[in-house]
């Protein structure tokens, strides 16, 4: 009800872990609360749709404060089922009100120890794309990791080593690594049909250096389905080959 008169540019909804998994055994005892949370999420979306002003909705799924432990963790979607302290919940909700990268996304937060400003920025980076995977290779230089990413990506067009996908890809080098772009024969001409970008970077969070490779989902135009099977195959092979090459 508050969305209508306020006419906000963004609505941030505090929800619960497990909304999309309420039918699974681990969540059956929470089904009533999860169904209520789903209703709130849907009501916020409907109110914004009725306004037709281009407002953004961000859903932040949280666990109970009791039992929260460890550093803050963030996942895109509904993938967590752990406690979330009040400090982590409040900090995450506040940042989701203003961070442009989280527009129209669903996030899950957990943990007890709220990060620093740098830490929050790095966690919320996962919403940009979104990020699909992140691997550290601190024994490598960023340029070496970038070269490895480009060589690895090129194998998906050569057909070597069993690298075949349901949806074929084109591969191109980028300033940060490489980009695998899906070729969807059913998509309209010039439509963006997604893919996976490999970003090799030397990051520094709270003074701690981290040479890492991030896999980020490519852009999909409206109406183009996510190529989940092909994406999953790419990520599974990336995890395996990265561990062999860099010990991650």
């Amino acid at each position: 009800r508050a969305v209508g008169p306020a006419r906000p540019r963004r609505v941030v909804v505090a929800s619960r872990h497990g909304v999309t998994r309420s039918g699974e055994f681990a969540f059956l005892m929470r089904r009533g609360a999860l169904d209520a949370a789903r209703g709130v999420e849907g009501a916020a979306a409907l109110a914004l749709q009725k306004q037709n002003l281009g407002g953004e909705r961000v859903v932040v799924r949280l666990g109970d404060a009791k039992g929260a432990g460890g550093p803050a963790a963030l996942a895109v979607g509904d993938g967590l089922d752990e406690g979330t302290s009040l400090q982590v919940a409040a900090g995450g909700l506040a940042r989701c009100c203003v961070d442009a990268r989280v527009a129209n996304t669903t996030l899950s937060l957990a943990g007890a120890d709220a990060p620093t400003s740098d830490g929050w920025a790095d966690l919320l980076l996962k919403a940009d794309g979104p990020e699909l995977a992140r691997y550290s290779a601190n024994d490598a230089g960023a340029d070496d990791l970038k070269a490895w990413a480009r060589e690895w990506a090129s194998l998906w067009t050569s057909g070597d080593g069993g690298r075949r996908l349901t949806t074929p890809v084109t591969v191109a080098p980028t300033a940060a690594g490489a980009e695998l772009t899906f070729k969807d024969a059913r998509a309209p001409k010039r439509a963006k049909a997604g893919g996976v970008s490999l970003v090799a970077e030397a990051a520094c969070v709270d003074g701690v250096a981290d040479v890492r490779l991030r896999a980020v989902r490519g852009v999909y135009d409206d109406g183009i389905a996510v190529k989940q099977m092909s994406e999953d195959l790419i990520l599974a092979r990336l995890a395996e080959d990265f561990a062999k090459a860099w010990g991650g």
Side-chain angles (χ1 to χ4, degrees):
R1 288 192 295 268
V3 173
R7 303 173 70 85
R9 296 178 61 183
R10 175 178 291 185
V11 174
V12 179
V13 181
S15 189
R16 291 175 175 265
H17 292 164
V19 164
T20 63
R21 297 170 284 169
S22 61
E24 297 179 13
F25 181 78
F27 295 91
L28 288 179
M29 297 298 291
R30 291 176 264 170
R31 189 162 190 170
L34 294 176
D35 287 346
R38 184 187 297 109
V40 173
E41 293 179 17
L46 181 61
L48 286 171
Q49 184 179 1
K50 286 182 176 179
Q51 286 187 1
N52 197 29
L53 297 175
E56 301 165 350
R57 182 189 65 146
V58 182
V59 175
V60 183
R61 295 191 173 136
L62 310 167
D64 292 335
K66 184 179 180 180
L74 181 147
V76 177
D78 191 22
L80 300 179
D81 184 25
E82 299 172 2
T84 311
S85 72
L86 295 178
Q87 292 84 355
V88 169
L93 290 168
R95 281 161 177 78
C96 285
C97 289
V98 296
D99 195 307
R101 297 171 298 185
V102 304
N104 298 313
T105 61
T106 296
L107 307 173
S108 296
L109 276 177
D113 304 329
T116 63
S117 181
D118 277 358
W120 275 120
D122 194 55
L123 283 176
L124 291 171
L125 178 61
K126 294 181 178 183
D128 193 9
E131 183 180 297
L132 302 170
R134 180 182 294 194
Y135 304 104
S136 292
N138 285 319
D139 291 336
D143 289 341
D144 292 337
L145 188 57
K146 188 184 303 181
W148 181 88
R150 289 171 176 167
E151 182 178 357
W152 183 87
S154 70
L155 297 175
W156 290 98
T157 58
S158 67
D160 293 340
R163 285 168 165 77
R164 299 184 184 278
L165 296 167
T166 305
T167 305
V169 294
T170 59
V171 174
T174 65
E179 184 170 18
L180 295 84
T181 302
F182 291 129
K183 296 190 293 184
D184 188 345
R186 296 169 296 179
K189 191 175 182 179
R190 297 189 181 88
K192 295 179 180 179
V196 177
S197 294
L198 303 178
V199 180
E201 59 191 13
C204 186
V205 181
D206 295 332
V208 178
D210 185 18
V211 177
R212 66 194 186 188
L213 183 70
R214 298 190 302 114
V216 179
R217 178 175 288 161
V219 175
Y220 283 85
D221 280 346
D222 290 343
I224 307 297
V226 173
K227 312 299 184 293
Q228 197 66 60
M229 288 182 62
S230 293
E231 187 178 277
D232 288 346
L233 284 170
I234 291 170
L235 295 175
R237 194 59 184 264
L238 177 62
E240 179 183 340
D241 292 344
F242 189 94
K244 290 178 180 177
W246 306 103

